[in-house]
Amino acid sequence: MELTRRQLLWQTSGAAALLSTAAIVGRSTVAAQGAPPSAGPFTLPPLPFAADALEPHLDAQTMTIHHDRHHAAYVTNLNAALANATELKTRTVEDLVTNLDRLPEAVRTAVRNQGGGHLNHTWFWASLTRGGGAPPTAELARAVDASFGDFAKCREALAVAAVGVFGSGWAWLSVDRTGKVIVETTPNQDNPLTRGNRPLLGIDVWEHAYYLKYQNRRRDYVDALFNVVDWDVVQQRFRAAKG
Ligand code: MN3
């Protein structure tokens, strides 16, 4: 389990991503968990913690449904969409989402929605941990201060962006093309990689992520989520994005 977690840390790095993405989306991790074989090349990675590990902030029932049904559906649908696209099935989902505009039109929307859903959720689970992590330090802290003033203002900007997403989507802490740390939002299951940015932390604001416990109180969910963010993981992603 620890190995899985460490592999997940590195998903946004260049060379490291190429090495680890197979494990993230992959056969070996799931096989080790005894999961049933998937019909396609993409498989559902197990949650890197117990479903109740993030209680009381994120409840076990929401986590179970979110992972076992919603994330699983993105994987199933992605495999179905690419069933006849032999040349695409060998690529990583990160690569597919990054190069969306170069994909055949017949599969582009499916990769955007289902591939994006698979990728976004894989990263999401990996950025959460029981009890949360210490605030950013070192180079990430300096970059956050440079962009937002301080960490509290950064968190507030991210929360405000998350609350402001109309309908379903994500709020992100990302690194833009110039290396600056920014807050951005994407609709549906779009990912900043498609814009050329590097995501550090995504906040899922689809209602399936919070409605059972928080109903329409999205801000309460976002504030609670900050209690279980693993900022060490965010920092690792920042280093990889800058590297
Ligand atoms: Mn979700």
Side-chain angles (χ1 to χ4, degrees):
M1 200 58 94
E2 192 53 37
L3 180 62
T4 301
R5 180 158 187 79
R6 201 168 301 123
Q7 289 164 334
L8 289 169
L9 294 182
W10 291 100
Q11 61 219 340
T12 61
S13 68
L18 293 175
L19 291 172
S20 67
T21 306
I24 293 169
V25 298
R27 308 152 183 118
S28 59
T29 301
V30 173
Q33 300 296 318
S38 166
F42 300 102
T43 52
L44 179 68
L47 276 179
F49 37 70
D52 64 357
L54 309 182
E55 293 265 13
H57 309 294
L58 300 182
D59 61 290
Q61 187 183 17
T62 296
M63 291 300 290
T64 300
I65 294 172
H66 198 173
H67 175 270
D68 296 1
R69 300 195 202 164
H70 291 278
H71 187 172
Y74 296 121
V75 175
T76 300
N77 294 338
L78 179 62
N79 284 326
L82 298 185
N84 298 316
T86 312
E87 76 288 0
L88 298 180
K89 286 195 279 194
T90 57
R91 291 166 62 179
T92 65
V93 68
E94 182 179 35
D95 179 30
L96 294 174
V97 168
T98 300
N99 298 292
L100 210 51
D101 58 349
R102 284 179 238 165
L103 298 182
E105 206 174 329
V107 299
R108 193 179 302 144
T109 299
V111 170
R112 179 178 183 178
N113 293 334
Q114 313 300 340
H118 177 31
L119 182 61
N120 293 351
H121 286 86
T122 301
W123 292 359
F124 185 57
W125 312 132
S127 62
L128 305 176
T129 189
R130 186 196 300 269
T137 57
E139 61 265 59
L140 177 58
R142 287 194 290 277
V144 161
D145 290 353
S147 290
F148 302 98
D150 59 37
F151 179 54
K153 292 195 182 92
C154 171
R155 265 179 42 157
E156 181 63 17
L158 190 51
V160 167
V163 171
V165 172
F166 182 75
S168 297
W170 292 72
W172 304 90
L173 193 67
S174 306
V175 177
D176 73 9
R177 291 167 185 272
T178 69
K180 188 179 178 207
V181 177
I182 60 166
V183 165
E184 62 183 326
T185 64
T186 56
N188 305 310
Q189 294 297 352
D190 288 1
N191 186 291
L193 283 174
T194 308
R195 300 173 176 162
N197 294 336
R198 307 293 297 268
L200 303 178
L201 172 67
I203 298 182
D204 186 347
V205 294
W206 285 57
E207 285 187 346
H208 69 224
Y210 62 90
Y211 208 84
L212 285 176
K213 183 176 173 75
Y214 295 99
Q215 294 85 48
N216 62 325
R217 303 187 311 278
R218 189 190 281 183
R219 175 68 199 229
D220 290 353
Y221 152 71
V222 171
D223 286 340
L225 183 73
F226 279 128
N227 291 314
V228 292
V229 169
D230 190 338
W231 290 99
D232 289 340
V233 171
V234 178
Q235 175 124 320
Q236 300 267 16
R237 290 173 179 171
F238 178 71
R239 280 197 197 115
K242 298 284 280 186

